[in-house]
């Protein structure tokens, strides 16, 4: 039986991915900062039959990757898949971001995946796979992206390197780039009507993406069915990032002055 390590497993995309792995007969090691959230992983269907191990830790901790990999090897005797999913929300544009915001984004969403990758490579057998959860804000210029966009874009470069360097050893690496998926982390942003419309009115596919839509792709990319897919970035966004779609509502709306607090070009140079 194969084993997957999923960071940020307690909620949203991470929890949906753990569920999908279990449905596929893959044991799960779930990592997260809050024990009460990780309890949801143990409650998933198939957790007892297939196997679940959780570990409460911060992915930024120096010993986090080693502890996570060791948990997989101790409980299940192997580690086949790594899903670098842990992230942080509420991004700020560059002019609002402090150094601490930059450091936090890079630490959680780029440095930690790099270090988890390094630790996992020591344990992964041929046929292993790594998936990085990036963002459409790494593919296009997004309002308020700032350090978030920079870190998420870095994952694409990291994945491409891993695909090249370790593909000949039988380990594949790919990226999924979700659009704005309704989760605990994005709730505050989606409560902003203008931000919500920026996504809804520019997405040609009907409805909204869900964590399960992203999880389905993640698990597929890890599976043998995707054995010839390596070094790719796939957006899961209903067409938001690759089309110039505008809804009828947007096309027929009256033009208004832009709120400078929402769409700020930076301080004027004197």
């Amino acid at each position: 039986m194969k084993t997957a390590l999923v960071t940020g497993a307690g909620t949203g995309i991470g929890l949906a991915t753990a569920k999908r792995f279990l449905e596929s007969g893959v044991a799960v090691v779930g990592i997260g900062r809050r024990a009460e959230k990780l309890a949801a992983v143990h409650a998933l269907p198939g957790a007892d039959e297939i196997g679940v191990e959780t570990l409460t830790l911060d992915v930024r901790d120096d010993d986090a990757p080693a502890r996570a990999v060791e948990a997989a090897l101790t409980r299940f005797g192997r580690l086949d898949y790594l899903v670098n999913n842990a992230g942080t929300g509420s991004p700020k544009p560059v002019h609002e971001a402090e150094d601490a915001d930059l450091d936090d984004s890079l630490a959680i969403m780029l440095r930690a995946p790099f270090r988890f990758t390094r630790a996992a490579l020591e344990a992964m057998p041929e046929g292993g796979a790594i998936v990085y959860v990036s963002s459409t804000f790494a593919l296009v210029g997004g309002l308020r992206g700032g350090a978030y966009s920079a870190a998420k874009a870095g994952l694409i470069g990291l994945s491409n390197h891993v695909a090249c360097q370790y593909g000949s050893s039988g380990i594949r690496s790919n990226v999924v780039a979700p659009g704005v998926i309704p989760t605990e982390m994005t709730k505050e942003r989606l409560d902003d009507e203008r931000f919500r419309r920026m996504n809804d009115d520019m997405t040609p596919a009907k409805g909204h993406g869900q964590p399960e839509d992203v999880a389905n792709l993640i698990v597929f990319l890890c599976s043998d069915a995707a054995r010839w897919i390596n070094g790719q970035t796939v957006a899961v966004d209903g067409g938001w990032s690759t089309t110039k779609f505008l809804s009828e509502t947007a096309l027929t709306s009256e033009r208004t002055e832009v709120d400078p607090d929402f769409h700020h070009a930076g301080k004027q140079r004197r």
Side-chain angles (χ1 to χ4, degrees):
M1 181 172 60
K2 294 185 176 182
T3 302
L5 170 59
V6 181
T7 68
T11 60
I13 292 171
L15 183 60
T17 300
K19 180 176 183 289
R20 189 70 187 88
F21 270 128
L22 289 170
E23 291 171 348
S24 301
V26 176
V28 172
V29 178
I31 305 301
R33 285 187 286 181
R34 294 174 291 177
E36 67 274 14
K37 296 295 183 181
L38 287 175
V41 183
H42 289 278
L44 291 171
D48 293 334
E49 296 81 3
I50 305 300
V52 161
E53 182 79 8
T54 57
L55 197 60
T56 304
L57 53 76
D58 191 321
V59 295
R60 295 171 293 186
D61 292 343
D62 287 344
D63 63 348
R67 288 179 59 194
V69 170
E70 182 60 30
L73 298 179
T74 299
R75 173 70 187 275
F76 301 111
R78 61 187 298 150
L79 175 60
D80 301 276
Y81 310 131
L82 168 64
V83 180
N84 281 299
N85 167 71
T88 182
S90 300
K92 301 175 182 178
V94 171
H95 72 280
E96 291 181 9
E98 305 289 342
D99 285 352
D101 299 315
L102 173 62
D103 292 344
D104 196 48
S105 292
L106 293 176
I108 294 173
M109 295 184 289
L110 187 55
R111 185 176 185 271
F114 186 104
R115 299 182 69 247
F116 269 80
T117 297
R118 187 173 59 196
L121 286 169
E122 295 293 325
M124 275 189 180
E126 184 173 345
I130 300 172
V131 175
Y132 300 88
V133 179
S134 181
S135 168
T136 51
F137 273 37
L139 304 177
V140 301
L143 288 172
R144 304 188 66 82
Y148 177 88
S149 293
K152 290 295 191 179
L155 289 178
I156 297 174
L158 174 59
S159 177
N160 289 344
H161 161 72
V162 172
C164 178
Q165 185 78 46
Y166 306 102
S168 59
S169 299
I171 296 174
R172 297 178 296 105
S173 178
N174 293 286
V175 175
V176 298
V180 180
I181 301 294
T183 66
E184 180 181 298
M185 192 172 75
T186 61
K187 183 181 184 303
E188 182 179 348
R189 299 297 306 279
L190 289 173
D191 284 342
D192 185 315
E193 182 182 358
R194 290 174 297 182
F195 182 82
R196 186 173 63 253
R197 287 195 59 188
M198 184 179 71
N199 289 277
D200 292 353
D201 288 349
M202 296 176 65
T203 303
K206 293 183 177 180
H208 297 91
Q210 297 298 322
E212 292 74 18
D213 296 313
V214 185
N216 287 338
L217 178 59
I218 291 172
V219 175
F220 167 73
L221 288 173
C222 289
S223 74
D224 291 340
R227 69 174 190 85
W228 203 234
I229 303 176
N230 190 32
Q232 302 302 308
T233 297
V234 185
V236 189
D237 66 354
W240 182 86
S241 61
T242 53
T243 67
K244 291 294 185 180
F245 175 83
L246 285 176
S247 69
E248 190 64 25
T249 300
L251 288 170
T252 57
S253 297
E254 293 185 7
R255 190 184 186 99
T256 59
E257 291 297 321
V258 174
D259 182 345
D261 291 332
F262 182 73
H263 192 287
H264 184 87
K267 295 180 179 179
Q268 290 185 343
R269 297 180 183 271
R270 294 184 181 271

